[in-house]
Amino acid sequence: MKYLTLLLLPTVLLFAADTSPATPAKAAPKYQEGSCCDKATKRGDKCNHPCCVKAAKVGKVCDHCNEPVKK
Ligand SMILES: [Zn+2]
Ligand SMILES: [Zn+2]
């Protein structure tokens, strides 16, 4: 009986790890609704504004064209 428990324990732990909430996916760049980048993305394209391209290169969203949402 004890051996069985030892054998089952790692399985249970793995199962628990599998079902635990996954780490939240990295948030996708958030474009402001209606911005040049938003429109381009909806067209399946990328915004080609120099300022936006520059921001995208460093993994950011151009905050000149996509003003942060005010809370
Ligand atoms: Zn843009
Ligand atoms: Zn821009």
Side-chain angles (χ1 to χ4, degrees), residues 9-26:
L9 195 61
T11 315
V12 170
L13 286 174
L14 277 173
F15 185 71
D18 268 352
T19 50
S20 67
T23 46
K26 207 182 164 203

